[in-house]
Amino acid sequence: MPLEALSQKEIEERLAELPGWSLDGDRITRSYRLDSHFAATAMVVHIAQVQEELDHHSDLTLGYNTVSLTMNTHSVGGAVTERDVELARRVEQLAPGHGAS
């Protein structure tokens, strides 16, 4: 089944299930704060592993004690798809293990 862009309503419904995530133009985004740079770095590595598993990669930014993600699906013209939502869900699942808030 080919990927399809989600409608505005579908995006809003999915984001309602993902606290902290928001729509910024044609992308979904979230930032996490962690206790240290090392913790943030470990979270980035964990996210990179998940991205490889899903074969879907976000813009991933490491700050001193922050991790930020911004994503959409380039193969459907830069729209938000279920693939983006699934990556966001997986990141939400791993974030508490890194002490992210």
Side-chain angles (χ1 to χ4, degrees), residues 10-55:
E10 290 170 322
I11 294 169
E12 290 170 5
E13 289 170 353
R14 304 309 190 277
L15 291 180
E17 301 169 1
L18 295 166
W21 286 85
S22 61
L23 183 63
D24 184 14
D26 63 351
R27 299 167 177 259
I28 59 173
T29 186
R30 183 166 185 339
S31 292
Y32 296 90
R33 182 166 298 280
L34 294 97
D35 291 335
S36 68
H37 182 67
F38 187 81
T41 302
M43 185 170 166
V44 165
V45 171
H46 199 167
I47 292 169
Q49 290 174 326
V50 171
Q51 290 176 342
E52 286 297 307
E53 287 172 24
L54 296 176
D55 192 26

Side-chain angles (χ1 to χ4, degrees), residues 15 48 59 66:
L15 291 180
D59 291 335
T66 59

Side-chain angles (χ1 to χ4, degrees), residues 47-84:
I47 292 169
Q49 290 174 326
V50 171
Q51 290 176 342
E52 286 297 307
E53 287 172 24
L54 296 176
D55 192 26
H56 189 59
H57 303 84
S58 67
D59 291 335
L60 182 57
T61 304
L62 171 64
Y64 170 72
N65 65 342
T66 59
V67 174
S68 299
L69 294 96
T70 303
M71 63 187 86
N72 62 12
T73 303
H74 300 285
S75 62
V76 292
V80 175
T81 66
E82 285 295 343
R83 185 174 269 180
D84 301 302

